[in-house]
Each structure stands twice: as C-alpha cells, then as structure tokens.
C-alpha cells in the first residue's frame, strides 16, 4: 500500500515553479518574512477544518500562520473567538498566544500566489497536502470552505467531483464522511463590498457548532 499523503509540504517545496520564484523574490526583498508554504494551524484533535484559498503575500506569507496579518484574518479569528473555536486574543502575530479549540485552519494552496490568484496546476500540485491534512485529523466532522476554489479543492481532495458540491454562500452538503459548509471568502473585497457581512459569516460557524454539538 502507498504511504498516506503528507499533511505538510517541505519548507522548500519545489512543486510549483512560479510560486517558488515568488517565494525567492519575496525572500530577497524581505529576508525577515516567512516566505514559505504556510503550515496548517490549530488543534490536531479538531472536528472542524477551515480551508482558505492561499496565503496573502504580506499576511500569512510574512507571518507563517494562516490568515495572520491578512485583512481576512481579522473577521475569521474574531468569529472563531466569538463562537468558542478559539481562545486568547488575535493580535495579527504568530506569537500572540491565540489557540484554536476543536478547529484547524489550512489553505488549499500553501504558498502565496501573485495577486492572490493560484493557477489550476498549483491547486493540483498542492491538493495532496490538503488530502493529507484531512486524513491526519482523526475526529474531523465538518469542513468550512472559504470561497469556490476552496470548495472545489476540498471535494477533489476527497476524491469527489467538484460538481458533487453546491456552490454559493451557506450551502451545505455531505462529502464522504464529512459535512461541508460553504462560505464566501472573508477577503477584504467581499467584506468591503458587503457581499459577505459579519453576521453571514458567523451563521456558517454557528451551523458548524450546531452540527458538532448535535
Ligand atoms: O485582501 P485580504 O483580506 O488581506 O486577503 C488576502 C487574500 O488572501 C484574500 O483573498 C484572503 C486570502 N487568504 C487566504 O485565503 N488564506 C490565508 O491564510 C490568508 C489570506
Ligand atoms: Fe508546494 Fe503547495 Fe507551494 Fe506548490 S503551493 S510549491 S505544491 S507547497
């Protein structure tokens, strides 16, 4: 039998040449930044997995923790704190002591893509680590997907077709042994335009909580 897929890429993962070049350029310009594949963050016993798109250049790519320092992280971490999926305080630094509770956060693509836009081949290359992350969580029940790239990659990481899910904010469907809850991505663009409001985002995590408590 094949070994299980790895949940974490190598620190200098070579699989996506365009993203490797971007990491190197960022490293040359900002040697004090993380500039690598952002590892998953959270509770290894999590029943809830949150899957983002990819690190922001000046956010997770700088700090090394998903959504940390990204504008999107403010709403995400404040919502997790409010619902009890995190404790402590989010201060946009990886050493702020914030702890996730019954929750883990990862990204469909682990390296920052130029313009926040990964190419399809990069999603494909990185999907093995998403599969590995899912398989490494023994208690996992609910997956929150942030945006459509996340939704499609989670389905494919589970060996399903992207069409097996339902697009759009608030959709809910079974995917293998898990329930997927889909949300619009909590990016600055979506929150500034009102496409995604804080109550809309909270409702997704309230539903996750109800599924886990039920
Ligand atoms: O524009 P912004 O809200 O600062 O977020 C940048 C961009 O990266 C946005 O599309 C959210 C996304 N993102 C993510 O998917 N995962 C992360 O860990 C950090 C940021
Ligand atoms: Fe490797 Fe994923 Fe980074 Fe591509 S995006 S280089 S597969 S860690």
């Amino acid at each position: 039998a094949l070994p299980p897929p790895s949940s974490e890429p190598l620190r200098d993962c070579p699989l996506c040449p365009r993203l490797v070049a971007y990491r190197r350029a960022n490293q040359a310009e900002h040697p004090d930044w993380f500039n690598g594949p952002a590892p998953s963050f959270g509770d290894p016993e999590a029943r809830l997995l949150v899957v983002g798109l990819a690190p922001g250049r000046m956010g997770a790519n700088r700090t090394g923790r998903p959504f940390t320092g990204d504008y999107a992280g403010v709403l995400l971490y404040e919502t997790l704190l409010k619902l009890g999926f995190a404790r402590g305080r989010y201060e946009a630094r990886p050493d702020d002591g914030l702890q996730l509770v019954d929750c883990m956060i990862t990204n469909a693509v682990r390296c920052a893509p130029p313009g926040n836009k990964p190419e399809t081949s990069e999603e494909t290359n990185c999907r093995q680590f998403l599969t590995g992350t899912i398989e490494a969580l023994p208690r996992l029940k609910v997956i929150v997907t942030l945006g459509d790239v996340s939704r499609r990659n989670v389905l494919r990481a589970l060996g399903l077709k992207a069409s097996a899910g339902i697009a759009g904010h608030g959709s809910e469907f079974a995917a293998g042994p898990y329930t997927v809850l889909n949300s619009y991505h909590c990016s600055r663009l979506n929150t500034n335009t009102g496409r995604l409001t804080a109550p809309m985002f909270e409702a997704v995590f309230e539903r996750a909580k109800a599924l886990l408590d039920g």
Side-chain angles (χ1 to χ4, degrees):
L2 292 167
S6 173
S7 57
E8 290 301 323
L10 295 173
R11 181 67 176 78
D12 58 352
C13 180
L15 294 177
C16 305
R18 186 182 77 119
L19 302 186
V20 171
Y22 197 49
R23 279 184 346 227
R24 293 209 175 119
N26 285 321
Q27 174 72 22
E29 212 179 318
H30 299 282
D32 53 319
W33 287 7
F34 181 76
N35 300 318
S40 303
F41 168 54
D43 181 353
E45 298 292 315
R47 292 180 300 161
L48 172 65
L49 178 66
V50 179
V51 182
L53 170 58
R57 175 179 176 268
M58 296 196 289
N61 174 67
R62 175 175 59 84
T63 65
R65 195 176 73 178
F67 286 94
T68 299
D70 281 289
Y71 185 85
V74 176
L75 179 58
L76 176 60
Y77 284 117
E78 292 306 328
T79 302
L80 294 177
L81 281 161
K82 188 164 179 181
L83 275 287
F85 287 115
R87 63 173 160 245
R89 252 175 34 189
Y90 172 66
E91 290 173 11
R93 301 195 325 251
D95 59 354
D96 57 14
L98 186 81
Q99 281 187 309
L100 300 191
V101 179
D102 205 9
C103 176
M104 184 168 270
I105 304 177
T106 194
N107 279 305
V109 173
R110 299 298 192 95
C111 294
N116 292 325
K117 183 84 190 81
E119 289 178 354
T120 308
S121 62
E122 295 159 352
E123 295 172 32
T124 304
N125 290 341
C126 216
R127 202 177 299 126
Q128 62 187 296
F129 305 113
L130 184 54
T131 303
T133 298
I134 291 169
E135 291 187 359
L137 290 171
R139 303 184 68 216
L140 182 63
K141 279 197 162 142
V142 176
I143 303 177
V144 169
T145 52
L146 301 181
D148 214 51
V149 173
S150 167
R151 182 187 64 82
R152 287 189 281 102
N153 278 289
V154 164
L155 285 162
R156 296 197 56 192
L158 293 169
L160 302 167
K161 288 183 177 169
S163 58
I166 306 162
H169 183 82
S171 68
E172 174 174 335
F173 48 89
Y178 312 111
T179 301
V180 173
L181 302 178
N182 190 44
S183 171
Y184 290 149
H185 197 289
C186 49
S187 66
R188 174 161 32 198
L189 183 67
N190 281 344
T191 49
N192 277 357
T193 56
R195 187 166 191 252
L196 179 70
T197 64
M200 281 167 74
F201 197 56
E202 265 172 51
V204 173
F205 290 89
E206 269 159 16
R207 178 65 185 148
K209 199 150 199 79
L211 287 168
L212 294 176
D213 291 347

